[in-house]
Amino acid sequence: MTRAVIALLGLLLAGPALAEPELACQVPEGLVQADFAMPRVADAIAAKSLEIAVMGSASSALTGTGGASKSYPGRFEAALAADLPGVTVRVSTYAKPRHSAAEMQGEIPAILSAQKPALVIWQTGTADAIRGIDPEDFRFALDEGVEALRKGGADTILMNMQFSPRTESMIALSAYADAMRFVALQQSVNLFDRFAVMKHWNEAGVFDLNAATKKMDMAERVHECFGRLLARLVLDGAALTRQERKAND
Amino acid sequence: MPPVPTERDLRLDLFRGLALWLIFLDHIPSNVVSWITIRNYGFSDATEIFVFISGYTAAFVYGATMRDRGFVVAAARVLRRAWQVYVAHIFLFTIYMAEIAYVAASFENPLYAEEMGVFEFLKQPDVTLVQALLLKFKPANMDVLPLYIVLLAFFPPYIWLLLRQPTLALFVSVAVYAVAWEFGINLPAYPSGHWVFNPFAWQLLFCFGAWCALGGMTRIGDIIKSPWVVSLAILYLIACFAIVLTWYVPPWTRWVPKSLAEWMYPIDKTNLDVLRVAHFFALAVLAIRFVPPHWPALKSPWLRPAVVCGQHSLEIFCLGVFLAFAAHFAMAELSDGIPMQVFVSVSGVVLMIAAAALMSWYKQIEGRHSGSRSKPTADPAGSSS
């Protein structure tokens, strides 16, 4: 009896401890997968040096101590480095609060010349929706920006908005989300559907996104998952490139 | 002047009532019940139905007034109606402010630092409130009533023209639509951008509804019911459904030819894309073909709830917007699971029906007191008070 109680206690104590390191970042099949090849990324991996830039607004950064390493660009860098032994992976972040897509587009030349990234992750949409910027202007900025990145020698991943259940009825996102999906298809670049991923997590109970809290822990775990999923998407895109090249040979 | 039909078409109330329910369901975010609404099965949604029928009933009521009592009386009534819609909009805006201020004060999560930016405007009420009164600042989901106000404000001269030169009037409406598309004309919004429902584009459905009400329907009735048009409508609806399916099953996107996709996308709601108009027309053709005007079921107790809601459209529309806020609030505070989504959806529709029934009852008791002041045949329910 005593032994059973101790075993039970042990289980209770070990339960969370065991669950903690293995994060449930799972998403449904096909939600995070490369639809388009990433030739520049594949070349950079082959050359053992992968430069990546993350361009975005406030949701690409976490505030507080160690925010930079705990937000998704940092986690993405760590995940990718672990998956690509022998390859130098460097992720730089250009995140400015309230920056619209058009304003980010204006910074593309500077980012390209400063760093020569093989991949740019472009997170956008929320700031434009809050500021009420014309969805059509948003789409043009995105379209021209992706074009500029391609000409500058970088692959692009577009990252759409966060799913935020509390503010869902206050920020009209759908026109901007549609524009991003449209540009991704037109320009043949991959879209990281952050909105759908988070919505799935909320519905499946992986994260309680309704929770009101000042603590950073949930935000950090969410960003850890973004980082891992992005790494998976990038490896997927590089693998797709190799497949296509083999098929063409 | 063509004769104005005098009998109220219950089909309009039925479909407008249904549209009001669908608009309510669509306005509740992350709501599983909204999968039943038509926007998931084609290009157009309940907004098209609402605007078209609003144009139809407005012309039906004020067209008769203008014919019987002249331009000034009819125009005065239309403008009074526009004023009522404006007051209703500001009332809804106040409720919205209350909700958003509460959430801004009570919700905090470092994950959503960016989304909290939507509360920024609370810091400068001097600007925000004035912009809201000018109909330039319009929160999410509060764009239909401002559209309605602008459409009504320009409606008196349009009815005047419709009663004299219906074909010319229709042509003017199409021309305004075409010019708005060609030159990208829209009203400005605050803090930036333009109106979500471009009045210069959306007037097309409103004016077309008005044209149908003032004799147009009898002119095109035979064409609409021809088997060719009906088959074409069915084919178009099936094609739209197939396209929409690819939005939900991304791997199927490959089956949409690239040239078709480039020509078709984006399907613009702000400027009322032609594909949306066509989809609405196709739905309307089927509705007219398969729901006869004197269908006995229109008076049955089963359809009564939708009909009653359709007869008090402004009030029920506003109630629906409010209930959607309330539903979202309840989901955020209590639970956002599927049982809760179904619960708030069903109880919202029930409340809309109850409110409409209450208003009908008021009308009835007041009608008894004031005797035969208003003739039942010219009952302006839903379009005038």
Side-chain angles (χ1 to χ4, degrees), chain B residues 148-173:
Chain B
Y148 198 13
I149 294 164
V150 172
L151 293 178
L152 283 176
F154 288 94
F155 205 45
Y158 194 74
I159 313 176
W160 184 87
L161 186 61
L162 256 184
L163 288 171
R164 282 158 186 82
Q165 294 285 342
T167 311
L168 176 67
L170 191 61
F171 179 76
V172 166
S173 169

Side-chain angles (χ1 to χ4, degrees), chain A residues 154-174:
Chain A
D155 291 329
T156 306
I157 294 177
L158 294 178
M159 183 194 271
N160 65 7
M161 310 78 174
Q162 299 201 91
F163 169 67
S164 164
R166 286 275 180 159
T167 57
E168 213 184 350
S169 65
M170 298 156 197
I171 312 175
L173 294 177
S174 64

Side-chain angles (χ1 to χ4, degrees), chain B residues 345-357:
Chain B
S345 300
V346 172
S347 40
V349 171
V350 168
L351 283 172
M352 288 162 84
I353 298 167

Side-chain angles (χ1 to χ4, degrees), chain B residues 43-45 47-49 51-52 147 151 173 177-178 180-181 186 195-208 266-281:
Chain B
F43 296 157
S44 72
D45 63 31
T47 318
E48 272 90 350
I49 302 177
V51 171
F52 172 82
L147 169 70
L151 293 178
S173 169
Y177 176 80
W181 264 89
N186 192 349
W195 280 33
V196 170
F197 292 111
N198 183 353
F200 300 107
W202 280 80
Q203 54 79 27
L204 182 73
L205 276 181
F206 196 78
C207 294
F208 183 68
I267 300 173
D268 191 351
K269 184 171 182 182
T270 289
N271 294 308
L272 187 65
D273 202 288
V274 174
L275 294 172
R276 291 184 69 110
V277 181
H279 188 261
F280 167 76
F281 284 168

Side-chain angles (χ1 to χ4, degrees), chain B residues 47-123:
Chain B
T47 318
E48 272 90 350
I49 302 177
F50 181 74
V51 171
F52 172 82
I53 297 183
S54 296
Y56 193 109
T57 45
F60 180 79
V61 173
Y62 302 117
T65 310
M66 196 173 286
R67 210 191 39 179
D68 298 342
R69 304 189 57 188
F71 179 83
V72 174
V73 172
R77 286 192 176 163
V78 173
L79 294 179
R80 182 179 62 184
R81 184 64 174 171
W83 171 250
Q84 289 168 344
V85 180
Y86 179 78
V87 171
H89 173 73
I90 298 302
F91 174 63
L92 280 180
F93 179 77
T94 311
I95 294 171
Y96 172 86
M97 288 290 279
E99 189 200 9
I100 206 166
Y102 175 83
V103 175
S106 64
F107 181 60
E108 192 171 10
N109 191 327
L111 185 62
Y112 292 121
E114 171 154 40
E115 282 73 9
M116 294 297 134
V118 75
F119 305 127
E120 287 279 302
F121 72 83
L122 290 172
K123 289 181 188 155

Side-chain angles (χ1 to χ4, degrees), chain B residues 105-258:
Chain B
S106 64
F107 181 60
E108 192 171 10
N109 191 327
L111 185 62
Y112 292 121
E114 171 154 40
E115 282 73 9
M116 294 297 134
V118 75
F119 305 127
E120 287 279 302
F121 72 83
L122 290 172
K123 289 181 188 155
Q124 33 174 290
D126 54 334
V127 183
T128 306
L129 292 179
V130 172
Q131 295 292 347
L133 289 170
L134 293 172
L135 300 180
K136 286 176 83 181
F137 176 70
K138 297 185 291 308
N141 289 343
M142 288 186 47
D143 304 289
V144 176
L145 289 185
L147 169 70
Y148 198 13
I149 294 164
V150 172
L151 293 178
L152 283 176
F154 288 94
F155 205 45
Y158 194 74
I159 313 176
W160 184 87
L161 186 61
L162 256 184
L163 288 171
R164 282 158 186 82
Q165 294 285 342
T167 311
L168 176 67
L170 191 61
F171 179 76
V172 166
S173 169
V174 174
V176 169
Y177 176 80
V179 167
W181 264 89
E182 185 59 34
F183 299 101
I185 301 168
N186 192 349
L187 294 179
Y190 175 85
S192 57
H194 294 98
W195 280 33
V196 170
F197 292 111
N198 183 353
F200 300 107
W202 280 80
Q203 54 79 27
L204 182 73
L205 276 181
F206 196 78
C207 294
F208 183 68
W211 182 81
C212 288
L214 297 182
M217 209 57 224
T218 44
R219 243 168 286 162
I220 57 169
D222 289 340
I223 304 170
I224 286 180
K225 286 182 194 144
S226 87
W228 283 103
V229 172
V230 172
S231 334
L232 203 66
I234 292 173
L235 280 179
Y236 184 69
L237 291 177
I238 293 172
C240 294
F241 178 64
I243 297 287
V244 170
L245 270 185
T246 68
W247 302 348
Y248 301 109
V249 191
W252 293 358
T253 310
R254 280 163 211 174
W255 301 106
V256 182
K258 202 169 159 76

Side-chain angles (χ1 to χ4, degrees), chain A residues 31-167:
Chain A
L31 189 53
V32 180
Q33 70 173 30
D35 295 318
F36 303 103
M38 300 184 194
R40 278 66 175 258
V41 171
D43 293 344
I45 292 174
K48 301 284 177 210
S49 170
L50 181 54
E51 281 281 348
I52 298 173
V54 174
M55 180 165 78
S57 51
S59 63
S60 284
L62 286 176
T63 50
T65 45
S69 63
K70 283 173 177 161
S71 57
Y72 79 81
R75 304 321 303 149
F76 171 51
E77 184 182 65
L80 212 48
D83 287 332
L84 294 169
V87 178
T88 316
V89 179
R90 203 166 67 118
V91 178
S92 324
T93 311
Y94 303 84
K96 288 190 190 155
R98 287 188 287 279
H99 241 42
S100 71
E103 285 158 354
M104 292 185 215
Q105 186 210 344
E107 287 177 7
I108 287 176
I111 293 173
L112 284 175
S113 65
Q115 207 197 342
K116 294 251 169 286
L119 171 68
V120 171
I121 294 178
W122 189 353
Q123 171 268 309
T124 187
T126 311
D128 292 75
I130 289 175
R131 291 168 57 178
I133 287 168
D134 247 326
E136 213 162 313
D137 294 342
F138 172 74
R139 184 162 57 82
F140 288 142
L142 216 54
D143 201 56
E144 284 172 16
V146 172
E147 194 66 48
L149 288 170
R150 185 197 318 281
K151 284 189 181 134
D155 291 329
T156 306
I157 294 177
L158 294 178
M159 183 194 271
N160 65 7
M161 310 78 174
Q162 299 201 91
F163 169 67
S164 164
R166 286 275 180 159
T167 57

